[in-house]
Amino acid sequence: MGHRDEGGGRMRPIVVRQLRGPVEAVTEADALDAILDERAVLVRGPLFGVVAQDTGAAGDASRWRVVVPVVAGCPQEARDSLNSLLWFRAKDDAEDRAERRALLAAVARLESERVDELTVLGTRYRVVRAEEYTAAGPDGIERPRPTDPEPSVPNWDRGVREPGIDDGLVLDPEAAVTPVQAAERLARRQLAYNGARFPEDVLDDSERALDTHPDVVLLPALFRIVEQDGDAWKAASGLHPSAHEARKTLDFSLTWFEPRRLGLIPWDVEDRNADARTVTAKGTATAELATYAEAADRLRAEHANRIEVLGTVHQVCRARRLLRWGPDGPEGPRPSDIDSHPPERIRPPMDEDGTVHYEGGDEDEDEVETSPETQI
C-alpha cells in the first residue's frame, strides 16, 4: 500500500480525549511502542460484514452498529448472513403478518440480487468493506501486545464459546479517541493499494475510495494463526476475538489436525478424540507425534505466541482492520471485489403466518435452527 497527499476540507475532524486512568495509560504506551516499532504495513485483503442504523434515531446519523461481524471473505458471504438474520427475525420475532411480509420481501431480494443496502422496518442495513492488515517491525509480524485482553484463567476446552467478534460494536467516526488512536487514524487515511501485483481495476477502486470515503475508523484488533512459508507468511486459521482463542485453535491443530494430516493418527481411528497428547500418554506415540504433544504443552504452559515444530513456525498474528468512511457512512463493496458464489436461497420458504415449508413436505418448525448466530 502507499500514501498520497491529503486533500483539504473533505475529512471529519478527529476529536482527541484525555486518557481515563492508569490502565488506559499503559495500553496507550503499549500502542505507541508498537507504532514506533512499525517498519511496514502488510495487507492481507478485504473483509466484509453488515452494519445497521435506525433511520428514525435523532442525533445518531453517524453511528452504525455491527450486526454481522466484519470477517467474511467476500461480499456475498455477508449478504448471506444478512439473509439468514432477517429470515430468523421473520420466523421468531415478527409481531404480525405485516412485519413478517416486510422481512420476507427483503429475504427474497437477497436470494436473487446482489443487494448491498436495504431498509427494512425502519432499519437501514449495509454490507461494509474493511481492510485487514498487520504491522511488521524489527521482530517480524506483530504478535499480541502485553495489554491485549487475556483471560485470568485460560480455558482450553474447545467446547466453550467465548464472546463473538464485534459483539455489540458501535461504529462512530465522531467519537473522541485517545492520542495514539488519533495518530493511527491519521496515518491510515491515505493508504491505498499500489504495485504490479494488483489488477488495474483494483488499483482504480482503491484510489477512488480515497475521495469517496476519505475518513477511516479502526475496528478492534483480531488474531489469527500464520505459518512461515519461506520468506513469506500464510494464514493458517480464521480470525479470533482474542489471542487466547487463536492459541486454542493452534493447540487443536498441533494435537489433532496436523497428526491426522501427516498420517501420524489415522482419520478413521475409533476414538475420534484421540490426539497427540492421549497417544503419547499411552506410550505408543512416534517421535514426531511426541514432538507435537510437547509443542502443544509448551504453548499452554508459556502462553506462547510463536512455536516452531518440525521446521514449521506457527505464530499468533495481531490483525488490524480499517474501515473507510464517507459522507453517507461506511464504505460498501467495491466493483472489483469478487464474490465466491451468486445469490441463492439459503433457508426454506416461509409464509406470512410464519409456517416453514420444506421440500419434503415436513413442516415441523423444530427442525430449523432457532438462532441465527450459529449461521453468521
Side-chain angles (χ1 to χ4, degrees), residues 294-316:
E294 185 276 331
D297 289 343
R298 186 154 38 91
L299 175 75
R300 291 191 178 194
E302 300 174 6
H303 304 291
N305 293 317
R306 183 184 176 97
I307 291 286
E308 183 172 352
V309 190
L310 300 176
T312 300
V313 176
H314 309 265
Q315 180 171 312
V316 181

Side-chain angles (χ1 to χ4, degrees), residues 110-151:
L110 288 162
E111 289 175 344
S112 59
E113 304 174 36
R114 286 185 167 88
V115 183
D116 291 327
E117 181 162 332
L118 50 78
T119 299
V120 188
L121 299 175
T123 299
R124 182 185 185 189
Y125 297 93
R126 177 179 294 178
V127 177
V128 294
R129 179 192 198 278
E131 205 72 65
E132 181 189 347
Y133 64 99
T134 190
D139 298 325
I141 292 179
E142 184 179 15
R143 305 177 201 179
R145 299 174 184 174
T147 49
D148 285 327
E150 295 276 6

Side-chain angles (χ1 to χ4, degrees), residues 87-307:
W87 190 93
F88 273 103
R89 287 185 179 172
K91 177 180 178 292
D92 299 326
D93 300 329
E95 295 185 359
D96 52 41
R97 289 182 173 181
E99 282 195 7
R100 190 172 289 110
R101 278 197 298 268
L103 291 163
L104 292 178
V107 168
R109 286 194 63 194
L110 288 162
E111 289 175 344
S112 59
E113 304 174 36
R114 286 185 167 88
V115 183
D116 291 327
E117 181 162 332
L118 50 78
T119 299
V120 188
L121 299 175
T123 299
R124 182 185 185 189
Y125 297 93
R126 177 179 294 178
V127 177
V128 294
R129 179 192 198 278
E131 205 72 65
E132 181 189 347
Y133 64 99
T134 190
D139 298 325
I141 292 179
E142 184 179 15
R143 305 177 201 179
R145 299 174 184 174
T147 49
D148 285 327
E150 295 276 6
S152 55
V153 180
N155 189 321
W156 294 94
D157 184 350
R158 293 192 296 271
V160 175
R161 295 188 63 181
E162 302 294 334
I165 293 173
D166 295 337
D167 279 0
L169 181 62
V170 174
L171 307 177
D172 184 358
E174 298 176 0
V177 295
T178 69
V180 173
Q181 290 169 345
E184 185 167 5
R185 281 177 60 176
L186 285 170
R188 305 299 181 217
R189 270 179 167 176
Q190 297 304 314
L191 285 174
Y193 293 141
N194 62 18
R197 70 187 182 95
F198 294 104
E200 196 66 31
D201 59 341
V202 172
L203 294 173
D204 290 344
D205 284 349
S206 182
E207 183 73 12
R208 190 179 303 111
L210 299 182
D211 292 320
T212 60
H213 296 81
D215 297 305
V216 300
V217 171
L218 303 178
L219 278 62
L222 299 176
F223 304 86
R224 70 161 78 240
I225 302 301
V226 295
E227 292 179 1
Q228 195 161 18
D229 185 11
D231 293 332
W233 293 83
K234 63 180 181 181
S237 81
L239 291 162
H240 299 277
S242 70
H244 177 66
E245 285 297 296
R247 291 187 205 105
K248 282 173 69 173
T249 292
L250 179 55
D251 181 81
F252 173 76
S253 178
L254 294 176
T255 59
W256 196 95
F257 181 76
E258 283 298 303
R260 282 166 172 78
R261 186 183 71 84
L262 296 173
L264 303 176
I265 296 177
W267 286 101
D268 58 353
V269 65
E270 183 176 350
D271 181 4
R272 293 178 56 84
N273 294 319
D275 61 17
R277 284 194 181 91
T278 60
V279 176
T280 299
K282 292 178 181 178
T284 58
T286 64
E288 284 182 290
L289 196 58
T291 298
Y292 275 107
E294 185 276 331
D297 289 343
R298 186 154 38 91
L299 175 75
R300 291 191 178 194
E302 300 174 6
H303 304 291
N305 293 317
R306 183 184 176 97
I307 291 286

